[in-house]
Amino acid sequence: MADPRTKLDIIYQEVLGEVSELVGRIEAISERLTEASELAGRAGERSAEQIHQVTAAAAFKLKTELEHAGNQLLSRVETVTKEASAAAAVVHRSAQRFATLALAVGLAGGVIGGALAGWALSGALL
């Protein structure tokens, strides 16, 4: 522009200079906001990927621990089942022995009772 001629021209040029400076600042801020937005987008993508990786690792660890605990529980159940089966076999054998003993005692009692009854009857008849 030409040299200012009046106070109005001087004020006009100052205002134009300040407006031009403000427009420059606004453009710079706009560029910085665009850059910040891009950086925030990339940071969000990285965060999402890291969250996915951490979640996947935690899920895998939990699955592994649950499988291990399930295997331990299954092993314990198998052990208890075997022990219960062995105990049932012992009880069954004991019950068979008791039944055999009861049968023998019953037979012996029957024989002794029969003999005593026969002896008593034979003595009473004579």
Side-chain angles (χ1 to χ4, degrees), residues 4 6 24 33 48 54 59 90 126:
T6 65
L33 285 175
V54 167
V90 168
L126 291 175

Side-chain angles (χ1 to χ4, degrees), residues 52-76:
H52 174 71
Q53 290 174 355
V54 167
T55 304
F60 179 76
K61 183 177 180 181
L62 180 61
K63 178 184 172 196
T64 303
E65 288 175 0
L66 285 175
E67 285 176 351
H68 180 69
N71 289 339
Q72 284 182 332
L73 179 61
L74 182 59
S75 176
R76 289 179 184 161

